[in-house]
Structures are given as C-alpha cells and as structure tokens.
Amino acid sequence: MVVFFDIDGTLVDDRTQVLPESAVRAVARLRENGHIPVINTGRPYTHIDPRVRAMAFSGFVCGCGMEVILNDRWLMRKHPDEEVCRLARDAVRECGMYVLYETQDGAILTDGQLSNLPILVQEAERMQKKGAAVREIDSQPKPWFMKFVAFNGPNNQREAFLRRMEPYFTCIERGSTMIELILKGCSKAGGMERILRELGTSREDTLAIGDSTNDLPMFQFAGHTACMGGGMAELKAQSEFITDTVLNDGIEKALQHYGLI
C-alpha cells in the first residue's frame, strides 16, 4: 500500500512542534513491511522539517502537488510565472492582506508586515529555526515565489483579494484566519496521482493521513483515509477512521488499525 502523510498537525504537533518517536518508528516499520510511505504537504520541499526528511519516506508531494519526488528523483516542478507573482504581490498590497510568500530555495518573503501580526512572527521564527531565510519581498530583484499563505488582519479587503486571485490560484480556507493559495491546477490529489502513475499502483491501494482542510483533495482521492484526533471537523466528516492525536501516538495507531505495521 502507498501511504500519504501530511506533516503539520499530523506527523508534527502544531503547538509544541514535537515529532513523536512513535511516528518515526511507525514509518520505518511501514517501509520495512514493504509499503511505500510518502509525504504529502503544503510546504515546499526545502521547507520540510529536517527531522521529517530524515525519516524513512520514499517520496514527497510538496507545495500541494506543485513538486513531486519519488526515490530521490524529481517527477514534477510547477511554479507560477513572474507575471502571476507580480499580480499577486500587487493585489496583496492594494487589499491590505498579511501574507507569507514561500520560495523554492527555502526563503519566506514578507511584505513589510512581519511585526504586525503574531501568527506571522510565529511562522517566520519556525522557518528560521529550520534554516530558511526571512526577508522582505521588496529586497528581491523579481517578485518570485512558489506559493503563499494569507492571514486575516485589520482593515483588509479579503473578498476583493480572493476575487483577484481566483483566476490564478486555488484558495484553500485553513480555519477562520488563514488562506493557502496554490497555483491553479495543482493539488495534493494531483501529486498522489503522479506518484501512483509512476508506481503502477491503483487509488484503491492508498491510505491518506491528515488533519486539515488542505487535506480534503487527498482524502477524496485516496482509497482509505484516517484523520488525526486533533483534526478539523470538515476533514473528520470525510474520514473512514479517526485516530488519536499526534502526541498520543496517532500515526502509529492509524497504521496498526489498517494492519500495516
């Protein structure tokens, strides 16, 4: 079976940033038993926690399907062109949105608002700890980025911003405060399909494990689904099985439930 794992809130606890030893052990046993463990995350490949990259994963679907790697070989890289990036940057400024831009080289670009919103500070600090640079988008020769996330803030024009982004990006609501923007035509499900085509494996022989709304395409595509105990209600409603929380060995329990370890 091919098993696809989200990272944040699934392998790694969001609040404490703890990666349980039980999850590391479970993924290693999964691979030893002949199954294929694959990361499926919204983060670009270079933003993945080094602790996760050191685990026994055979492949990576990153940036919600914008990057796909299997057995150390790149199968796909798809990024917005410079003009689309420029349009997005201008819409962010004109609509007063708070954003974090994510780039392939591991940098997170901000737009002069880093100290104005606590959630931006928290995310930037997490990325700096993982070795990513944090710098202003105005310091770049070109307004290039791979994907980005937008946060609600005071006096922004959220609906106008989303209307302007709709032709170019899929806008995923991540709770009440955050919107994730992915290049149109890319998704976690699309990345899964590319992996399965390479492996010659059917959708029925897959398991997806996640916790949030950006995992919905993954859950709608997979043959079997398990939501983390601390996951969002919208995902739990689409789940075949609800496992325990991250810190209560939810990954290990999910793989045991399906008889994979």
Side-chain angles (χ1 to χ4, degrees):
M1 181 173 281
V2 185
V3 185
F4 293 89
F5 298 80
D6 177 50
I7 297 177
D8 301 290
T10 300
L11 286 169
V12 178
D13 180 65
D14 264 336
R15 185 181 64 82
T16 64
Q17 291 296 289
V18 168
L19 170 62
E21 177 55 37
S22 63
V24 178
R25 179 175 65 241
V27 171
R29 287 178 58 197
L30 181 72
R31 187 163 177 173
E32 288 168 5
N33 289 348
H35 304 290
I36 301 172
V38 178
I39 285 291
N40 199 345
T41 180
R43 294 188 179 277
Y45 178 72
T46 49
H47 289 202
I48 293 177
D49 190 315
R51 298 173 298 170
V52 173
R53 279 193 284 186
M55 293 171 67
F57 288 105
S58 301
F60 297 84
V61 175
C62 302
C64 287
M66 296 172 68
E67 300 178 320
V68 182
I69 304 166
L70 181 64
N71 297 324
D72 297 322
R73 183 164 64 92
W74 286 90
L75 303 182
M76 188 174 77
R77 275 179 169 173
K78 189 175 182 181
H79 304 141
D81 61 30
E82 183 181 338
E83 181 57 28
V84 170
C85 290
R86 192 181 305 279
L87 288 168
R89 182 199 62 185
D90 292 346
V92 164
R93 289 172 171 167
E94 291 164 17
C95 295
M97 299 300 295
Y98 292 75
V99 305
L100 286 174
Y101 301 97
E102 302 173 37
T103 68
Q104 184 184 351
D105 66 4
I108 294 183
L109 310 182
T110 70
D111 199 31
Q113 300 172 324
L114 183 58
S115 62
N116 295 346
L117 206 63
I119 194 168
L120 286 178
V121 175
Q122 174 182 286
E123 182 62 18
E125 288 176 346
R126 286 180 179 178
M127 293 311 301
Q128 285 174 319
K129 288 178 181 177
K130 296 171 187 174
V134 178
R135 55 189 185 267
E136 300 291 335
I137 196 166
D138 284 341
S139 71
Q140 308 307 303
K142 298 179 180 180
W144 185 88
F145 54 86
M146 179 179 168
K147 58 185 281 285
F148 66 112
V149 290
F151 300 90
N152 291 333
N155 304 316
N156 59 21
Q157 302 172 46
R158 182 179 180 278
E159 296 309 317
F161 170 72
L162 291 178
R163 285 195 299 271
R164 291 174 64 171
M165 293 298 94
E166 197 279 332
Y168 312 103
F169 296 93
T170 298
C171 304
I172 304 171
E173 300 279 356
R174 299 284 301 273
S176 60
T177 59
M178 187 173 93
I179 306 159
E180 189 169 20
L181 294 101
I182 315 299
L183 188 64
K184 207 82 165 179
C186 296
S187 70
K188 286 192 172 186
M192 294 169 72
E193 187 174 26
R194 184 68 182 86
I195 290 278
L196 296 185
R197 189 161 70 246
E198 189 73 16
L199 293 172
T201 303
S202 69
R203 292 172 58 175
E204 290 71 26
D205 198 26
T206 62
L207 167 64
I209 308 177
D211 74 299
S212 69
T213 49
N214 81 342
D215 295 316
L216 281 169
M218 177 166 73
F219 273 43
Q220 291 160 356
F221 182 88
H224 302 279
T225 58
C227 183
M228 301 303 292
M232 292 183 175
E234 298 94 325
L235 196 68
K236 287 181 177 178
Q238 300 289 324
S239 300
E240 181 179 77
F241 174 68
I242 299 173
T243 187
D244 214 326
T245 62
V246 175
L247 298 179
N248 286 329
D249 305 327
I251 290 294
E252 188 170 57
K253 290 174 182 176
L255 296 180
Q256 288 172 341
H257 171 80
Y258 285 99
L260 301 176
I261 62 174

